[in-house]
Amino acid sequence: MEITRETVAAAVNSYSSVRGHGTLANLMSFARVLKQLGVKIGLSQVIDAARAVRLIDIADRGDFRALLRANLISQKEDFPIFDLAFDCFWREQSYEKVDPEDLETQGEPQESGGRDGGEEQGLEEALADGFAREDSPREPLEEISVPAYSPQESLNQKDFSEMGIEESRAIARAILLIATKIATQISRRKKRARRGATVDPRWTLRRSMKYGGEVVELVNRKRRVKKTRVVLLCDVSGSMDCYSRFLIQFMYGLQNELWGVETFVFSTSLSRITHLIRTKDIGNALEKISGSVLGWSGGTNIGRSLHTFNRHFAPSMMTHRTVTVIISDGWDRGDVGLLEAEMRALKRRCRTVIWLNPLLASENYEPLCKGMQAALPYIDFFLSAHNVDSLVRLGRTLQKMVA
Amino acid sequence: MKPEQLSIEGIQEILRSERYICDRSLATVVYLSLVMGKPLLLEGEAGVGKTEIAKVLAKVLDAKLIRLQCYEGLDANTALYEWNYPKQMLRIKLEEVGHGDKEAVETEIFTEEYLVKRPLLEAIQSDGANPPVLLIDEIDRADMEFEAFLLEVLSDFQITIPEIGTLKAKHRPYVFLTSNRTREIHDALKRRCLYHWIEYPSFEKEYEIITTKFPEIESLMARQICAFMQKVREMNFYKRPGVAETLDWAAALIALNRRGLDDKTVVETMGCVFKYREDLHHLREQIDARQLNLEALLRAAPELAG
C-alpha cells in the first residue's frame, strides 16, 4: 500500500466513530490507524504508551509526539507514516483532550465499582478488548518467512520484464530482504559446524601441564573454516536489461552478509563491479555502473567475456570450492567455439556452475540457440531467474552449496 | 542523581555538562526509558553517538557501566556466566590432600564464589547504590539465537543457574541497545524497547557539538568543518562520516595549529574523515573538479545566532 495524505486521512476517518470517548480510546484508535497503515504494533506497546503519558507534561505537543513515536514505532522507515498519522489524528482540539486522568479512569470497568484488578490490569483489559492479541513473546525466532510485504503475493509470480518503476522499487526491497535472510541462514550454518568440533587430545594434555597435569580445559580441534566464494557473471546486454538489475540487486544483498561475493557484468566485454556495488544506495550505483560499463544494453559476446575472466580473474579467485553463477539468456553473437572452450576451462577451475536463464520460465523455451547449446555440457544447475519465486529457489540452491 | 529527580530538560542539561549535545526528542526518549524502566533501542548511522550516550549517562547517573559488545557467535556462556574451572580443580586438589568431605566439596564448588560473571550476570547482580547502565552494543551483530536468549533476560531481569537457582536483579538495570542495522532486529525484541533513530546533526547542532568539545577552536574553522561535513554527507560516499569523525578531524586540525581550512589542508587531513581508499579518491576528484568548494560551502551555511 502506498502511503499518502489521503490514505492516512481515510484510515483516520474509519475510526472516527470511536473518537472522542476519552483519551485511552483515542490512543487505541490511533494504534489501530497505524496498524491499518501497515505498522506492526503489539498490545504491550500500546499499554506502555498509555502508562508513559502520565510521565510527561503532555501540554507539549512535541514531547507527546516523541513519546508516542518511541513507544509505537520500531523502525525508522515508519517515521513518515507516523508523522502523517499523528498530525492527522491528534488535531489540535482532540489533542487537548488528552488527559492523564482520563487514562486512569478509562482503564477501570465503568459500571462496576470494583477495583480488584489493579490499575494496570484494568488498563490492559480495556486495551485488549478489541485489540487483537498479537503479542506472543515466545514465538520462535528461527522461523524464516517471506517478508510480510503487501504487494508481495501478486508480485512474486510476476516476470521482472513486466514491471513498472513503482513495482520494481517494491520488488527490489523484497529481494534485498530475501537475500539478507538467506545469507544470514548460511552464516549460521557455518557456526554450527564449528560448534560440533571434536576434542583435541594432544593440545588438551599440553594445556593441562600448567595445572600440574590435571585436565582443566578441553581444547577443541576446530575445523578450519573453508570459505566458499561465489562469483557472479551477469549479462547486461540489451536482451537481459530488465533482469540483470534485479539479479545484481540480489547479489548485492548477499554480498552484504556473505564472505567473498565477487560480481562482474559483461556484454561485449567484461567488467568487475564488486567495489562499485559496495555502496548503500544500490539504485544509484547501478546508474553509475551502466554509465561506466562499456556496452551495457548492447550486444553480447559471452565467449570473449569468459576469456577475459578466465585469464585475468580466475587464477586469483577460483578454487575447487568456488561457485560460479552465470546469468544470461545465451543469445550470443560471438564465436561459439571460443565460448565452448572457455566454459570448459571455467568448469575445470571451480566446483559448481549455475546458469540462470530467465527465458527458461516460458513453457515453450528450448535452449536451441548455439551459444546455449555449447555451454550446456558444462553447467551443473540450469535454473530460471525471472521473478521473486525463482530467486528464492536460487537462494536455497546457493545455501546448499555454500553451507 | 536519581532518575525520579529528572526531567526532560534536566537530562539535556546534565548531558550537556558532560559535553553531549542532545536534542529534545532524544532527551524525551531517554527520560522515558529511565523512568519506565524500559530498554532503549538506538539506531542510526555509525558515529552519531549511540554508544556515547550510554557512557555519558552512566557517568552522570553515577552508575556502573556494564558493556556487552556483540559479535557473531556470541553465546550465552560468554554473555552470562561460566564456572571457574581452575579454581574448582584447585579446591578439589586441596581437599584431596586434606582428606576432606568429598560430598561437601561437590556442593561447595558450585556456589557463587566459583562463578565467573559475564556482563549480563554482572548487570543483574550489581549491588552499587544506583542501578547499573547495561549497554548492549551492536546487537545486530549477534545471531538470532542470542537475541532470543536476550529477550528472556530483558523481560524478567533474572537468570537461572541450574546449580545455584534463580538470581534476581537487585536493581533493574538501565538498558541501552544499539544497532547499525546490518540486519533487522526481531519484532519481539523491538516490542520490548523504546525506539529512537539518531539522525546526523544539523549544521547548528554539529557546530554546538564541536565548540562544546573544543572551546578553544576558531569559530571560522568550526563553521567550515560543519559546512564541509554537511555537504559530504549529502554526497555519494561509501561510508558517510559521522560526528565521531568530525571530532577526530577537529582535534587533528587543532593539534596542527590550523585556524581555518583550505583545499590543501583538507586533502592533507582527510584520513580523519574518510577511511576507504575509494572515498578518499572520490573526494579528491570532487575537490579537483571544483564540486566541493569550501568558500561556496561556507557562504551557503546558515547564519548562527549569537
Side-chain angles (χ1 to χ4, degrees):
Chain A
M1 172 170 37
E2 209 196 331
I3 306 293
T4 60
R5 210 166 279 281
E6 285 70 41
T7 49
V8 172
V12 170
N13 286 334
S14 67
Y15 284 100
S16 57
S17 58
V18 238
R19 296 287 299 277
H21 302 301
T23 310
L24 182 63
N26 278 343
L27 196 56
M28 281 171 61
S29 303
F30 182 59
R32 288 204 197 120
V33 168
L34 289 176
K35 278 183 83 147
Q36 193 175 324
L37 295 170
V39 179
K40 280 192 213 160
I41 300 179
L43 176 61
S44 62
Q45 285 167 287
V46 186
I47 295 171
D48 282 342
R51 279 183 199 147
V53 167
R54 278 174 257 163
L55 298 171
I56 65 161
D57 174 15
I58 51 168
D60 187 320
R61 191 174 163 87
D63 288 356
F64 183 59
R65 180 193 291 260
L67 177 150
L68 289 188
R69 198 176 73 175
N71 274 289
L72 300 178
I73 303 296
S74 51
Q75 57 180 11
K76 179 192 162 215
E77 284 71 21
D78 291 337
F79 283 179
I81 301 176
F82 173 86
D83 284 336
L84 276 176
F86 183 90
D87 290 335
C88 187
F89 191 94
W90 304 98
R91 275 171 300 227
E92 296 299 332
Q93 67 274 37
S94 67
Y95 169 69
E96 278 167 19
K97 282 188 195 143
V98 177
D99 182 350
E101 297 300 314
D102 279 4
L103 278 175
E104 284 172 44
T105 49
Q106 269 291 311
E108 307 306 323
Q110 302 248 321
E111 305 290 311
S112 71
R115 268 187 168 247
D116 353 290
E119 184 186 21
E120 282 169 358
Q121 196 76 38
L123 193 60
E124 188 156 347
E125 275 164 23
L127 284 167
D129 181 32
F131 196 90
R133 270 191 172 275
E134 281 168 58
D135 190 43
S136 46
R138 307 269 162 189
E139 71 194 75
L141 288 175
E142 293 279 332
E143 201 178 328
I144 285 287
S145 56
V146 177
Y149 199 82
S150 42
Q152 183 91 32
E153 277 153 40
S154 55
L155 288 179
N156 265 356
Q157 306 292 336
K158 197 158 178 179
D159 198 281
F160 288 148
S161 60
E162 296 159 11
M163 277 168 203
I165 293 173
E166 271 312 308
E167 281 178 306
S168 62
R169 287 225 180 91
I171 214 74
R173 210 182 110 86
I175 289 176
L176 281 186
L177 276 172
I178 295 168
T180 316
K181 284 210 166 171
I182 289 167
T184 318
Q185 275 292 87
I186 295 171
S187 59
R188 232 179 321 147
R189 277 266 182 96
K190 269 194 214 139
K191 208 193 69 200
R192 269 197 203 125
R194 254 183 282 154
R195 215 189 272 157
T198 47
V199 174
D200 185 330
R202 205 185 108 209
W203 271 101
T204 304
L205 274 182
R206 278 198 78 169
R207 194 66 70 80
S208 73
M209 289 308 161
K210 72 176 177 196
Y211 306 115
E214 200 71 56
V215 177
V216 171
E217 303 167 47
L218 293 180
V219 182
N220 289 328
R221 186 174 9 198
K222 280 187 183 144
R223 263 205 298 166
R224 195 165 291 149
V225 186
K226 290 181 194 146
K227 294 199 165 169
T228 303
R229 193 191 277 272
V230 178
V231 173
L232 173 74
L233 303 168
C234 194
D235 185 343
V236 291
S237 61
S239 57
M240 287 290 294
D241 217 9
C242 49
Y243 300 103
S244 325
R245 278 166 189 276
F246 291 109
L247 293 163
I248 291 176
Q249 219 138 20
F250 183 71
M251 294 312 277
Y252 164 78
L254 282 181
Q255 187 172 296
N256 262 344
E257 292 272 337
L258 208 57
W259 178 86
V261 175
E262 287 283 351
T263 312
F264 294 83
V265 292
F266 67 89
S267 49
T268 47
S269 63
L270 179 94
S271 320
R272 178 167 177 237
I273 60 160
T274 309
H275 57 294
L276 289 175
I277 63 173
R278 210 198 291 140
T279 166
K280 295 247 164 77
D281 184 1
I282 181 76
N284 202 338
L286 284 176
E287 292 300 317
K288 263 171 97 183
I289 296 164
S290 51
S292 65
V293 171
L294 278 176
W296 185 288
S297 305
T300 327
N301 191 330
I302 307 177
R304 185 159 13 124
S305 303
L306 284 181
H307 178 76
T308 314
F309 176 78
N310 283 336
R311 163 167 272 199
H312 296 290
F313 298 100
S316 62
M317 272 174 204
M318 305 287 259
T319 69
H320 63 287
R321 296 186 56 84
T322 308
V323 176
T324 313
V325 182
I326 300 172
I327 298 162
S328 172
D329 53 10
W331 289 108
D332 189 41
R333 305 216 183 125
D335 179 353
V336 177
L338 179 67
L339 173 61
E340 191 187 348
E342 295 301 334
M343 276 303 290
R344 193 186 314 127
L346 183 74
K347 171 67 190 148
R348 237 195 344 253
R349 272 190 191 270
C350 69
R351 171 177 165 192
T352 311
V353 177
I354 301 175
W355 189 299
L356 301 175
N357 189 335
L359 301 180
L360 203 57
S362 59
E363 280 171 22
N364 39 16
Y365 172 77
E366 279 176 57
L368 289 180
C369 66
K370 279 190 231 150
M372 207 60 251
Q373 278 293 329
L376 267 178
Y378 309 103
I379 298 172
D380 299 298
F381 292 87
F382 194 35
L383 307 170
S384 70
H386 60 292
N387 62 16
V388 175
D389 278 346
S390 61
L391 283 185
V392 173
R393 273 197 299 278
L394 166 64
R396 292 206 190 106
T397 312
L398 277 178
Q399 195 174 324
K400 276 180 218 136
M401 308 269 107
V402 178
Chain B
M1 182 84 70
K2 294 259 179 292
E4 303 83 63
Q5 302 159 358
L6 287 175
S7 59
I8 298 168
E9 294 81 12
I11 292 209
Q12 264 180 311
E13 226 165 85
I14 55 169
L15 287 177
R16 183 187 299 267
S17 71
E18 285 299 325
R19 301 180 176 186
Y20 189 97
I21 308 297
C22 112
D23 52 36
R24 191 171 171 98
S25 65
L26 177 56
T28 308
V29 175
V30 168
Y31 169 75
L32 286 174
S33 161
L34 296 179
V35 180
M36 292 169 79
K38 205 173 170 181
L40 174 58
L41 170 62
L42 289 168
E43 286 191 335
E45 305 285 342
V48 290
K50 301 186 293 291
T51 304
E52 187 65 19
I53 193 169
K55 289 189 193 165
V56 175
L57 268 173
K59 203 166 167 195
V60 297
L61 293 170
D62 192 22
K64 189 172 175 188
L65 176 73
I66 298 166
R67 179 172 178 171
L68 176 64
Q69 174 66 51
C70 299
Y71 52 87
E72 195 188 331
L74 174 67
D75 57 9
N77 272 349
T78 328
L80 208 55
Y81 71 91
E82 208 150 16
W83 290 107
N84 190 342
Y85 299 117
K87 198 174 170 189
Q88 287 176 328
M89 278 297 177
L90 207 63
R91 175 70 194 272
I92 294 169
K93 279 272 166 195
L94 283 174
E95 292 295 333
E96 270 175 18
V97 176
H99 305 288
D101 182 355
K102 262 196 176 161
E103 275 174 25
V105 175
E106 248 174 60
T107 50
E108 275 168 36
I109 60 170
F110 288 108
T111 52
E112 284 188 56
E113 201 191 330
Y114 294 88
L115 211 55
V116 183
K117 287 177 194 168
R118 303 287 189 211
L120 289 180
L121 182 59
E122 204 187 327
I124 281 185
Q125 289 257 285
S126 169
D127 48 9
N130 295 322
V133 168
L134 172 61
L135 168 63
I136 301 172
D137 217 4
E138 301 187 311
I139 177 69
D140 51 329
R141 289 198 189 196
D143 317 287
M144 295 288 236
E145 297 151 15
F146 183 74
E147 223 179 87
F149 159 77
L150 202 59
L151 207 57
E152 209 179 315
V153 178
L154 290 187
S155 42
D156 306 334
F157 289 98
Q158 61 179 36
I159 286 166
T160 305
I161 299 171
E163 295 88 351
I164 295 181
T166 302
L167 302 174
K168 244 189 143 74
K170 287 176 183 140
H171 309 287
R172 205 183 167 105
Y174 304 125
V175 185
F176 294 85
L177 297 101
T178 74
S179 158
N180 286 326
R181 291 202 140 191
T182 58
R183 66 170 175 80
E184 285 294 319
I185 310 296
H186 197 271
D187 288 337
L189 183 59
K190 281 182 161 182
R191 258 184 245 133
R192 276 170 183 66
C193 302
L194 292 173
Y195 176 80
H196 190 79
W197 175 271
I198 304 187
E199 291 284 350
Y200 285 121
S202 62
F203 179 86
E204 288 86 354
K205 190 179 159 194
E206 195 155 31
Y207 181 81
E208 203 183 341
I209 292 172
I210 295 187
T211 48
T212 314
K213 281 260 184 190
F214 306 106
E216 73 276 25
I217 198 169
E218 290 286 327
S219 164
L220 170 73
M221 191 165 77
R223 295 188 56 197
Q224 283 177 318
I225 293 174
C226 295
F228 181 86
M229 294 309 261
Q230 296 288 326
K231 178 69 183 174
V232 293
R233 282 185 199 128
E234 287 166 16
M235 292 165 63
N236 192 13
F237 287 101
Y238 170 55
K239 168 71 186 73
R240 288 190 290 170
V243 184
E245 278 77 21
T246 310
L247 293 174
D248 281 353
W249 193 26
L253 290 168
I254 292 170
L256 292 169
N257 280 322
R258 300 296 157 103
R259 311 179 67 110
L261 290 180
D262 51 53
D263 287 352
K264 192 166 158 278
T265 311
V266 169
V267 171
E268 278 169 10
T269 52
M270 254 316 84
C272 302
V273 180
F274 293 106
K275 314 290 167 70
Y276 286 88
R277 206 182 61 106
E278 289 93 340
D279 283 350
L280 286 167
H281 184 70
H282 183 54
L283 181 85
R284 257 215 134 100
E285 279 178 355
Q286 295 291 314
I287 289 180
D288 291 345
R290 299 238 146 248
Q291 292 289 317
L292 253 177
N293 183 329
L294 282 169
E295 278 174 41
L297 278 181
L298 200 57
R299 271 198 304 277
E303 280 304 315
L304 289 163

